[in-house]
Amino acid sequence: MNTGSVLDELGRNRVQSNIKAVFFVQTRNTGGGASRQGRTLLQREHAEGHVLGLHTGTARGHVSHTSMSLPELHRSLEDGMADICAITGARPVLVRPPYWWFNQATLSEYERHGLYMMLSDVKAYDGVNWGFHLLRRWSFRSQFAAIRHRLLSEEIGANGGLIPIVVAFHDTNAYTAGHVSDYLELLVEEAAKGGLPIDHKPYYDEAPELLMAALSRAVHPFGSASSRRRPLTAC
């Protein structure tokens, strides 16, 4: 129940209550969304106001989109989007490719399905056993330094007066589930030390604002930045 623990901590923690997140889900993974427990968690994520994005919609689970044939990728996206629609009542608009691997063929399939690719600015590398908390702090510090450089170079633009920073975690990771509050504190501390201005509310607590922020940072091959404000459409 690592994901359940993450949801609990996002709701109540030492930094900010009712934080909302984007969960990129594997809807038909036999060890995930295809199981009774997995479906219950997906329903809970939506009920608690989080945004559901697509990771995979295949029973093979966490498989790189670049390793799939185009028919298999098409089916994975179709099935995954349908599964999310059944829970939320709206078509998902965000996709994160497993392992962050993509190519022109996968981008074309995302475009075909109206999906915006969401990568990340900061990675927790929570699949790695760092061993020492100091190393995690150093990792965030170096990544925030790189973000500051991108901001000064105007590679990252503002969204409604704010500049959303995308941080990636794995909610199924046991260490992450047990240290959500620690991570939330560490991110704010290291961002401030790195010279990044922090809003009075460092994390999003409303799904619509979170989705708009995510779309402003999404990568997609169709349309201009202004087209990223397309509303969700019914299933």
Side-chain angles (χ1 to χ4, degrees), residues 46-187:
H46 172 64
E48 294 184 5
H50 301 284
V51 175
L52 296 186
L54 179 60
H55 209 28
T56 73
T58 173
R60 293 205 291 146
H62 198 262
V63 178
S64 169
H65 291 171
T66 59
S67 70
M68 294 181 180
S69 67
L70 289 182
E72 183 183 11
L73 177 57
H74 169 74
R75 177 49 52 196
S76 178
L77 297 178
E78 285 282 310
D79 290 344
M81 294 176 73
D83 295 336
I84 293 174
C85 268
I87 294 171
T88 68
R91 292 172 61 85
V93 294
L94 296 172
V95 62
R96 169 165 289 158
Y99 309 106
W100 284 262
W101 293 348
F102 63 94
N103 55 29
Q104 190 54 55
T106 59
L107 289 175
S108 295
E109 280 299 306
Y110 300 159
E111 176 182 2
R112 180 180 176 187
H113 290 82
L115 292 167
Y116 302 85
M117 184 173 68
M118 184 91 260
L119 300 178
S120 60
D121 301 304
V122 177
K123 295 181 182 180
Y125 295 106
D126 48 358
V128 179
N129 182 8
W130 290 92
F132 297 96
H133 196 62
L134 181 62
L135 292 178
R136 297 180 189 275
R137 181 179 293 276
W138 174 86
S139 175
F140 284 140
R141 185 171 301 179
S142 63
Q143 291 182 77
F144 280 128
I147 290 171
R148 186 172 186 275
H149 176 76
R150 293 172 64 196
L151 291 174
L152 293 174
S153 302
E154 298 184 346
E155 294 180 31
I156 303 176
N159 175 62
L162 299 175
I163 301 174
I165 301 300
V166 184
V167 184
F169 290 95
H170 292 83
D171 57 283
T172 57
N173 183 276
Y175 185 93
T176 295
H179 295 82
V180 173
S181 289
D182 294 335
Y183 272 128
L184 294 173
E185 287 182 338
L186 194 57
L187 286 167

Side-chain angles (χ1 to χ4, degrees), residues 163-231:
I163 301 174
I165 301 300
V166 184
V167 184
F169 290 95
H170 292 83
D171 57 283
T172 57
N173 183 276
Y175 185 93
T176 295
H179 295 82
V180 173
S181 289
D182 294 335
Y183 272 128
L184 294 173
E185 287 182 338
L186 194 57
L187 286 167
V188 172
E189 290 173 6
E190 291 305 320
K193 289 179 181 178
L196 299 178
I198 307 297
D199 188 70
H200 72 281
K201 190 171 63 176
Y203 299 100
Y204 286 94
D205 57 8
E206 295 289 343
E209 288 80 5
L210 171 63
L211 180 57
M212 287 292 94
L215 288 172
S216 76
R217 298 302 319 285
V219 178
H220 60 97
F222 50 103
S224 62
S226 62
S227 70
R228 301 180 192 183
R229 294 185 176 274
R230 295 190 312 176

Side-chain angles (χ1 to χ4, degrees), residues 1-4 7 23-47 52-53 56 83-84 87-88 171-172:
M1 283 295 291
N2 292 331
T3 299
L7 288 168
F23 285 86
F24 290 96
V25 298
Q26 302 179 57
T27 64
R28 300 203 176 186
N29 188 336
T30 55
S35 68
R36 178 178 298 179
Q37 183 183 52
R39 287 191 297 272
T40 298
L41 285 170
L42 296 184
Q43 292 164 352
R44 179 184 170 187
E45 288 165 1
H46 172 64
L52 296 186
T56 73
D83 295 336
I84 293 174
I87 294 171
T88 68
D171 57 283
T172 57

